[in-house]
Amino acid sequence: MAADTPRRILDAAADEFAERGLAGARVDRIAERAGANKQRIYAYFGSKDQLFDRVIEDRIEQLLDAVPFDAVDLPGYAARLLDFNLAHPELVRLLMWHNLERPGVLARLPQSVESTGKKVAALRAQRGDDDWPADRLLGQVLGLVHGVALTGWADPDHVRADLHRAVSRLVG
Amino acid sequence: MAADTPRRILDAAADEFAERGLAGARVDRIAERAGANKQRIYAYFGSKDQLFDRVIEDRIEQLLDAVPFDAVDLPGYAARLLDFNLAHPELVRLLMWHNLERPGVLARLPQSVESTGKKVAALRAQRGDDDWPADRLLGQVLGLVHGVALTGWADPDHVRADLHRAVSRLVG
DNA sequence: CCGTGCCAACTAACTAGTTGGTTGTCCGTG
DNA sequence: CACGGACAACCAACTAGTTAGTTGGCACGG
């Protein structure tokens, strides 16, 4: 077998939860997708809910640190983050489900808090806080990226170019 | 009884679906919340899925046209749209659920298409298309509003002020 | 008597979580 | 080398509760 069982279960669960959410996911289906056994799921992760949380923990870092933050070139960072989102729609869906079905949990996740803290600090060191407080500017930029990724009518190249332009105007 | 039965069912279903989504919602609970009867739901709406669609149809207009579009004062429009979102989180949740559990349906809804079309036309008449194509500029603005509403760490007053400032820089 | 509505019980399928029994592998002990 | 425990994993059946959707019977107003 390719990887060890807990790993395969996590991956299969990520797919299932991304497609159907917590309430819509089926434990039997996760077991089948993992090529593993139902009892292994309960042995390793305890319950469906706990498994969902572990999946999020497992993937959140991947999503947060996929694109290295660049306080100097904020428009470029935004564009690269958008590209990652477009390339990994399952992870975006996973986070949306989690936001709806486990409200507030993500905001309290240490990895998330730490990553955001570092970004704010880097941004503050680069630009200072007077023109536009770093945390709030970051919020605008991240909101813009996720928002346009959601709305996403136009083709990716246009969206990326427009996003780059928009963030340039924000920081300019 | 306050309103007629179909109306009460739609309202109760909107609450239930907004809280728990399609898969998480329970028909019995909707009946209870409506102070109505389960068979009435099936008599009027056919199935749980169809009921969900009807709820969306019923509420989509309310959410799309909640804030009259203003092509002249785009920053003000964005701020007012944000305020509506903050004031009606259930409707935002309802749309997020629908986007996940019924992907693509919303984009094909006539009301949605028409509303967007009018906005784009008004924006194009106001600013022209050369500097920034109207449809893509609108996408950026709407994406920004929904994005910051999602991310939403800071307090509403700051978020609104920052959003106003951001959109001002976009259109300026 | 017909339409609207309520109540309660019912079916049939599904679902999270459990249990018992089995196989194979690794590892330390005699 | 042989033996036996510990462990990881599989399979299948099971429990107990839930859930969408149905049916039959009753009350009331026009």
Side-chain angles (χ1 to χ4, degrees), chain A residues 5 35 37 39 44:
Chain A
T5 307
N37 205 262
Q39 312 85 331
Y44 286 123

Side-chain angles (χ1 to χ4, degrees), chain B residues 5 35-37 39-40 44:
Chain B
T5 307
N37 205 262
Q39 313 85 327
R40 290 292 94 197
Y44 285 124

Side-chain angles (χ1 to χ4, degrees), chain B residues 41-55:
Chain B
I41 294 179
Y42 288 96
Y44 285 124
F45 301 101
S47 72
K48 192 188 179 185
D49 290 21
Q50 287 177 280
L51 175 60
F52 189 42
D53 291 343
R54 292 286 297 274
V55 167

Side-chain angles (χ1 to χ4, degrees), chain B residues 38-137:
Chain B
K38 211 175 156 184
Q39 313 85 327
R40 290 292 94 197
I41 294 179
Y42 288 96
Y44 285 124
F45 301 101
S47 72
K48 192 188 179 185
D49 290 21
Q50 287 177 280
L51 175 60
F52 189 42
D53 291 343
R54 292 286 297 274
V55 167
I56 293 291
E57 264 191 68
D58 183 58
R59 297 281 150 121
I60 189 73
E61 203 159 3
Q62 183 179 352
L63 200 145
L64 282 175
D65 299 331
V67 183
F69 186 65
D70 185 351
V72 179
D73 178 22
L74 221 44
Y77 167 71
R80 286 188 291 275
L81 186 55
L82 174 73
D83 280 337
F84 181 83
N85 280 351
L86 295 177
H88 299 89
E90 347 79 53
L91 287 188
V92 178
R93 284 177 64 88
L94 200 59
L95 269 197
M96 289 175 60
W97 285 116
H98 188 256
N99 186 47
L100 284 169
E101 301 187 292
R102 281 272 199 283
V105 173
L106 191 144
R108 276 175 244 121
L109 223 93
Q111 301 167 339
S112 167
V113 175
E114 187 204 331
S115 168
T116 306
K118 280 185 180 173
K119 290 188 175 76
V120 171
L123 194 55
R124 185 173 290 135
Q126 174 68 23
R127 303 173 33 100
D129 248 350
D130 300 332
D131 176 47
W132 199 330
D135 55 339
R136 281 155 51 190
L137 175 58

Side-chain angles (χ1 to χ4, degrees), chain A:
Chain A
M1 204 64 73
D4 59 333
T5 307
R7 177 75 265 152
R8 287 195 335 267
I9 292 175
L10 276 177
D11 291 340
D15 291 345
E16 174 80 5
F17 285 133
E19 280 175 25
R20 318 214 184 210
L22 176 58
R26 297 292 165 244
V27 178
D28 295 272
R29 214 151 37 204
I30 293 174
E32 197 187 353
R33 292 175 98 138
N37 205 262
K38 210 174 156 184
Q39 312 85 331
R40 289 293 94 196
I41 294 179
Y42 289 96
Y44 286 123
F45 301 101
S47 71
K48 191 188 178 185
D49 290 20
Q50 287 176 280
L51 175 59
F52 189 43
D53 291 343
R54 292 286 296 273
V55 167
I56 293 291
E57 263 190 69
D58 182 59
R59 297 281 148 120
I60 188 75
E61 203 160 3
Q62 184 178 349
L63 200 146
L64 283 176
D65 298 332
V67 184
F69 185 65
D70 185 351
V72 179
D73 178 22
L74 220 46
Y77 167 71
R80 287 188 289 275
L81 185 56
L82 175 73
D83 280 337
F84 181 84
N85 280 350
L86 294 178
H88 300 89
E90 347 77 54
L91 287 189
V92 178
R93 283 178 65 89
L94 200 59
L95 272 195
M96 288 174 61
W97 285 116
H98 189 256
N99 187 48
L100 284 168
E101 301 188 291
R102 281 271 199 284
V105 173
L106 191 143
R108 274 175 245 121
L109 222 93
Q111 302 168 338
S112 168
V113 174
E114 188 204 330
S115 168
T116 305
K118 281 185 182 175
K119 291 188 175 75
V120 170
L123 194 56
R124 185 173 290 134
Q126 174 67 23
R127 306 175 30 102
D129 247 350
D130 299 333
D131 176 47
W132 198 329
D135 56 339
R136 281 155 52 191
L137 175 58
L138 181 65
Q140 294 284 315
V141 172
L142 293 183
L144 185 52
V145 174
H146 296 128
V148 299
L150 271 184
T151 318
W153 311 316
D155 70 296
D157 288 335
H158 276 144
V159 173
R160 188 188 309 105
D162 289 345
L163 176 65
H164 192 282
R165 181 187 199 171
V167 177
S168 296
R169 295 200 181 182
L170 286 195
V171 298

